[in-house]
Amino acid sequence: AIHVTLSQSPYKNFSPEVKIPLLKWHGHPAITRDVEIPTDYEQPLLCDIYQPVEKAPKGDTAIIHLHATAWQGMDKGQLTNHLFHRLVDQGHVVIDVAYTLAPTADMAQMVREVKHAIAWVKEHAEDYQINPAKIVLMGESGGGHLALLSAYTANDPEFQPTSITTDTSVYGVIAIHAPTDLAIAYEEFGQMEP
């Protein structure tokens, strides 16, 4: 730990010594790349699976990650390496999913693909030492929007792929700077000329 001593404080009952614990690094995660998740569409989803090393704390939560960039760009594994390493070092399993982008897929297909990923993770929970009741969706921007839509339409027949009988509810959702009102987003950004 780092010890910090503060010489003065305006607060009563304030301890002038503060101990800040250092983060313990357990090593690089085990990464399995391009694992195929079958879907109702022509192509399977591809995902990268990040698993804790032996020395890391043992957790049983899985985080399904959906990448950013307005549903039409980038791919799994971009701009997330440090975040994934930190989550895995805490004992979580991260499944980084490459969903089909626009204009090839519409929003409904993207949500159904996320439901395929949720079902696949639940069906393979034992393989990755995951509690199927502790799956969290996480995404940024367009991926965050898909995470919200998928979490809030769990088992809804309109958004549930017909081939899935597995419960698609999740334990939690983390949406980082996700658009939640697309009408306002269109007014602010959609009418802009490139």
Side-chain angles (χ1 to χ4, degrees):
I2 298 173
H3 295 277
V4 179
T5 303
L6 303 173
S7 58
Q8 294 182 351
S9 172
Y11 303 105
K12 294 179 182 178
N13 301 324
F14 179 79
S15 172
E17 286 202 17
V18 179
K19 293 182 181 178
I20 302 171
L22 294 176
L23 299 176
K24 185 170 183 181
W25 175 251
H26 297 98
H28 291 284
I31 305 171
T32 307
R33 301 222 182 260
D34 296 327
V35 175
E36 291 189 1
I37 298 176
T39 69
D40 292 343
Y41 302 100
E42 290 181 29
Q43 298 294 322
L45 296 175
L46 294 180
C47 69
D48 296 340
I49 301 174
Y50 295 71
Q51 294 178 266
V53 295
E54 292 284 325
K55 297 182 284 185
K58 297 299 174 213
D60 61 357
T61 301
I63 299 163
I64 298 174
H65 178 261
L66 307 165
H67 61 81
T69 64
W71 313 277
Q72 57 190 340
M74 287 184 53
D75 198 358
K76 62 182 173 57
Q78 294 181 315
L79 306 174
T80 51
N81 201 31
H82 294 293
L83 172 62
F84 291 171
H85 284 232
R86 181 69 184 125
L87 290 169
V88 170
D89 203 49
Q90 293 173 348
H92 308 297
V93 174
V94 176
I95 299 96
D96 190 19
V97 177
Y99 56 89
T100 305
L101 303 173
T104 304
D106 62 12
M107 194 69 60
Q109 177 179 336
M110 292 178 201
V111 171
R112 288 185 187 104
E113 287 181 347
V114 175
K115 304 288 185 96
H116 277 289
I118 294 167
W120 185 89
V121 171
K122 286 185 175 189
E123 292 162 5
H124 291 84
E126 191 174 320
D127 299 339
Y128 297 100
Q129 299 174 357
I130 297 166
N131 179 345
K134 290 180 74 178
I135 295 173
V136 175
L137 293 177
M138 178 175 75
E140 305 88 17
S141 186
H145 179 251
L146 292 176
L148 289 169
L149 284 175
S150 300
Y152 295 137
T153 61
N155 303 313
D156 183 325
E158 188 174 341
F159 295 99
Q160 192 82 349
T162 56
S163 65
I164 291 180
T165 57
T166 304
D167 172 28
T168 57
S169 62
V170 294
Y171 186 65
V173 60
I174 302 166
I176 303 165
H177 59 82
T180 55
D181 187 329
L182 296 182
I184 289 175
Y186 177 74
E187 284 178 24
E188 290 184 16
F189 304 108
Q191 298 178 27
M192 296 170 60
E193 292 294 323

